[in-house]
Amino acid sequence: MRRAALAVASTATLICASLGSPALSAPADPPSPALQQETSDAVDVVNEFWEIHWSDHFTQSYQQPALFGSSGFYEAESSRLPTCDGELLGDDPQEKYNAFYCPDEDFLAWSVDFMDLGFNMVGDSWVYLITAHEWGHAIQARLDVSLVDTAEELQADCLAGATLQGATEDGTLTWEEGDTDEVVSALQKLGDTTPWTHPEDHGDVSERINAFDMGVQGGVDSCVT
Ligand SMILES: [Zn+2]
């Protein structure tokens, strides 16, 4: 499957399972007001970064991707799951309890449970990381294929690092004490157990951290060359 952006394929399930997976049996709830606000803020920050900086790196003009249901959230146990190019999101929990980008319809979506779990376990940096990573896939979809790395997931991590660091330099994002640790903790939860070998792999923990850090240190250009 190449729904490019199953951000955290292997781990969402692990996280759920390790917590006794309340989301898998309980009725779905809408996102909490705090999570809604944090996600809305993250979307604004990430989108503003690309609005400002797209033309620093690429030709043509930036177009904002859409968000499923306007906020991006969907409830994994509801009857209103996102479809991508006519294909319903699969029953596989790794797909349902996750975040993704739909290249055919150019929208981002994330399950309430997936965002909520990371938000509670890791902190608000989780929300920013997921948003910036998925946005990275939308950016990839806007690029000439020659600029899209075979390791698409690691490139999306790199773009996420470039985005969050760039927004910080722009002054649209402030890193609070502990945020760096939160990002590392998030990537530890999201890393594959094995190193990257295949385009659908996300890379192991050190690969993901290195990719994110490359974007932080070198900016967008370091991710696309
Ligand atoms: Zn991804």
Side-chain angles (χ1 to χ4, degrees), residues 2-200:
R2 195 198 165 280
R3 200 180 281 164
L6 286 173
V8 278
S10 54
T11 44
T13 315
L14 288 177
I15 294 168
C16 289
S18 67
L19 291 185
S21 187
L24 291 172
S25 53
D29 292 319
S32 68
L35 178 58
Q36 276 188 34
Q37 185 62 55
E38 208 69 60
T39 306
S40 170
D41 289 349
V43 163
D44 288 346
V45 163
V46 171
N47 185 54
E48 188 173 354
F49 171 81
W50 285 109
E51 278 184 343
I52 295 170
H53 294 288
W54 172 271
S55 60
D56 297 346
H57 309 281
F58 308 117
T59 57
Q60 302 181 343
S61 59
Y62 170 71
Q63 301 292 330
Q64 178 178 356
L67 300 174
F68 178 77
S70 83
S71 68
F73 284 105
Y74 65 88
E75 296 178 20
E77 294 305 312
S78 79
S79 57
R80 195 169 162 264
L81 287 176
T83 59
C84 180
D85 195 27
E87 188 184 331
L88 187 67
L89 199 65
D91 261 345
D92 185 342
Q94 291 185 355
E95 282 188 42
K96 280 207 300 195
Y97 295 91
N98 215 316
F100 70 94
Y101 169 67
C102 173
D104 296 296
E105 297 173 41
D106 193 32
F107 71 84
L108 303 131
W110 30 71
S111 85
V112 175
D113 305 285
F114 177 69
M115 281 300 215
D116 188 59
L117 217 52
F119 185 51
N120 288 316
M121 286 177 67
V122 172
D124 58 0
S125 302
W126 173 276
V127 176
Y128 280 85
L129 177 66
I130 299 302
T131 304
H133 172 102
E134 295 306 332
W135 221 279
H137 287 305
I139 297 300
Q140 289 170 326
R142 286 154 171 69
L143 299 179
D144 186 276
V145 288
S146 67
L147 295 176
V148 178
D149 199 301
T150 314
E152 289 181 33
E153 296 300 335
L154 292 171
Q155 187 178 42
D157 285 337
C158 183
L159 291 169
T163 299
L164 298 183
Q165 175 64 24
T168 304
E169 291 168 8
D170 288 343
T172 57
L173 178 64
T174 304
W175 285 59
E176 298 156 328
E177 194 178 342
D179 280 352
T180 303
D181 290 342
E182 286 185 12
V183 168
V184 170
S185 171
L187 290 169
Q188 284 171 340
K189 292 179 182 1
L190 298 169
D192 290 346
T193 52
T194 53
W196 185 91
T197 55
H198 185 272
E200 288 181 5

